[in-house]
Amino acid sequence: MIKNIAFKLKDSFYYKNLERILEDCSTVLDVGCGSNSPILNIRRPFYSEGIDIFSKSIEESKKKKIHDKYKIGDVLKLEDYYKKKSFD
């Protein structure tokens, strides 16, 4: 029980910190977003786009409506998909 509480507090700190880091962003690119991005658990006043090479992960993320837009692609080749400084 105590271990579960410790994990929840740790998670809570993580999400609050992530939210604080992104609070001044108007656009966010989630590289390797997968199907369960941590962005799901924070306030999202910003536009976000997720990119992942696995189409199944993208489809699952779409169902959860985590991001505004998605792209299937290799995160090692971001320059093929996006212009520099396209996201905050």
Side-chain angles (χ1 to χ4, degrees):
M1 177 80 162
I2 292 174
K3 192 173 185 179
N4 287 341
I5 292 170
F7 278 122
K8 287 182 182 182
L9 288 173
K10 188 176 178 182
D11 286 351
S12 176
F13 174 77
Y14 172 78
Y15 293 123
K16 286 292 180 193
N17 195 40
L18 179 61
E19 201 170 89
R20 184 186 57 77
I21 289 168
L22 298 176
E23 71 185 352
D24 293 330
C25 296
S26 58
T27 58
V28 173
L29 177 62
D30 189 353
V31 178
C33 65
S35 61
N36 200 26
S37 171
I39 288 178
L40 175 65
N41 298 305
I42 65 170
R43 281 183 307 109
R44 292 173 277 169
F46 48 78
Y47 168 87
S48 70
E49 187 166 328
I51 181 170
D52 200 290
I53 199 162
F54 298 106
S55 59
K56 185 170 181 162
S57 293
I58 292 289
E59 291 306 315
E60 289 178 34
S61 186
K62 281 181 179 178
K63 289 177 188 174
K64 296 176 186 176
K65 299 179 181 178
I66 297 174
H67 301 290
D68 300 295
K69 188 174 177 183
Y70 295 89
K71 190 166 288 196
I72 297 171
D74 186 343
V75 301
L76 298 176
K77 298 177 181 177
L78 291 177
E79 67 279 355
D80 291 347
Y81 309 107
Y82 304 104
K83 294 178 184 176
K84 287 186 178 191
K85 300 183 181 184
S86 295
F87 295 88
D88 295 329

